[in-house]
Amino acid sequence: MSNALTGALTRERIRNDIAEVLEIPVADVDDTANLLDEGLDSVRVMTLLERWRESGAQVDLVDLISDPTVDAWADILDVN
């Protein structure tokens, strides 16, 4: 498995994973932007959710969809 799937959950990893599923540069991921408005759909959110659960995160789809920003997800996932 790659580091993207097995690494510790950090804010940087959240940004990197989002950039990967959106196929955009990491620099284009805005921590305060609504990720659904940026092109993140439910299938991609589920992809992220499964990756993060494999790293030990205890989170569900409703948690992520209710406030779809990097800042909110970092809080929900309790990362820096």
Side-chain angles (χ1 to χ4, degrees):
M1 282 189 174
S2 71
N3 280 344
L5 295 177
T6 60
L9 214 47
T10 63
R11 181 180 286 266
E12 180 181 3
R13 168 142 178 236
I14 292 170
R15 281 192 209 103
N16 287 333
D17 287 350
I18 291 167
E20 183 180 329
V21 299
L22 289 177
E23 299 178 354
I24 62 172
V26 174
D28 290 350
V29 177
D30 180 341
D31 287 358
T32 61
N34 181 317
L35 296 168
L36 301 179
D37 293 342
E38 301 297 314
L40 199 65
D41 58 24
S42 60
V43 172
R44 290 180 173 126
V45 173
M46 286 302 299
T47 298
L48 294 170
L49 180 66
E50 288 180 23
R51 283 183 185 185
W52 298 339
R53 283 181 175 166
E54 288 177 6
S55 292
Q58 295 184 0
V59 63
D60 64 35
L61 183 63
V62 174
D63 293 331
L64 299 181
I65 296 295
S66 66
D67 194 356
T69 66
V70 172
D71 283 343
W73 290 2
D75 287 342
I76 290 166
L77 296 165
D78 195 27
V79 299
N80 296 322

